[in-house]
Amino acid sequence: MNYKGIVAFSLILQALTFAGTITPWDFNGLAKIEDFEGLANVSFLSAIVPLNPHYLVDTGYYFNDDFTITFPASNPPDPGNTYYAGAVVIGDFSQGTDYWGLGHRRIDSPADVYSGNAYLGVLSDGLYPATVTFGFRDPVYKVGAWIDSGQYHNTPLTFEILDNVGNIIDSMSTFSSDWTFVGLESNTPIYSISFTGFVSVVDNLMYEIPEPATMLLFAFGGLMLRKRKTTR
């Protein structure tokens, strides 16, 4: 493809910006999955709630070496809160976890987890929704997860994708009902994602990092456009 072709293709890509919902079957072979298995009770986590162990996630830890917590900035956000409201934790029935939830909607055994023994949850006092935000080392273009609530059925849950400066690219809301998949894609690079809800729980977080050739084409097209502007 010559210079003019690259510039034209880049302009077309920029003009055809889009975002929309996707299903788990819309991911290709490049998709990666974080199932949160095998993370509890290891060096970067410390147990809280002694009678029902959950494990605090270190805000400096990178899941799959790809993404990390960017909000809350410290975990737990309020160490003095009796309920550890807003804390991001790993629950794992193979590591002593007894249950997740406030009694109205409970995850009591591996049979209640979407898959395996483990999940990621955001603790809450049940009065206010809590948010967790993850930032990616490299941008992704497709991302989704199975989510639920540990409070009630039909509790609202919101999923957002954000650009490199924190602007919302797209969002979707659903209601908890024994694990619901939320997924979004965009040709605007996705640098971070957030989940908001009451006693939210997440499993099998899926994301797709674009092929290197696609990333280079976007980058090269952008460089050519900037070069053309500066040489006029």
Side-chain angles (χ1 to χ4, degrees), residues 8-220:
F9 186 68
S10 180
L11 287 170
I12 291 170
L13 289 176
Q14 292 178 43
L16 296 176
T17 57
F18 71 90
T21 60
I22 53 175
T23 73
W25 298 274
D26 290 319
F27 291 84
N28 65 28
L30 298 175
K32 299 177 73 172
I33 299 177
E34 175 57 79
D35 58 12
F36 308 108
E37 301 289 334
L39 301 180
N41 208 17
V42 294
S43 60
F44 68 91
L45 297 170
S46 57
I48 59 173
V49 195
L51 296 179
N52 181 21
H54 282 76
Y55 300 85
L56 285 166
V57 180
D58 186 337
T59 52
Y61 175 75
Y62 274 81
F63 295 93
N64 274 348
D65 201 34
D66 287 330
F67 64 93
T68 189
I69 297 171
T70 57
F71 183 86
S74 60
N75 193 33
D78 181 7
N81 185 286
T82 303
Y83 299 96
Y84 295 94
V88 182
V89 297
I90 298 291
D92 190 331
F93 287 102
S94 71
Q95 296 293 330
T97 296
D98 189 38
Y99 67 90
W100 175 265
L102 299 177
H104 310 285
R105 162 78 176 105
R106 296 232 317 202
I107 294 173
D108 288 311
S109 72
D112 298 323
V113 180
Y114 177 73
S115 71
N117 293 289
Y119 54 84
L120 180 138
V122 186
L123 293 171
S124 169
D125 55 13
L127 300 176
Y128 304 99
T131 296
V132 59
T133 302
F134 297 108
F136 289 93
R137 285 189 191 274
D138 298 305
V140 301
Y141 288 81
K142 292 181 181 179
V143 62
W146 292 90
I147 62 173
D148 206 344
S149 169
Q151 186 174 28
Y152 301 102
H153 283 293
N154 296 320
T155 297
L157 300 164
T158 300
F159 173 52
E160 296 177 336
I161 55 175
L162 303 98
D163 65 15
N164 61 327
V165 293
N167 294 321
I168 298 172
I169 300 170
D170 201 0
S171 67
M172 62 181 296
S173 295
T174 186
F175 293 90
S176 61
S177 179
D178 294 337
W179 297 104
T180 301
F181 186 81
V182 292
L184 291 167
E185 68 174 338
S186 173
N187 63 353
T188 299
I190 301 166
Y191 281 85
S192 57
I193 60 173
S194 71
F195 299 94
T196 300
F198 291 88
V199 203
S200 302
V201 59
V202 179
D203 199 9
N204 280 22
L205 195 155
M206 307 172 65
Y207 53 98
E208 191 173 302
I209 298 172
E211 296 178 356
T214 302
M215 295 182 69
L216 284 172
L217 188 57
F218 274 99
F220 187 62

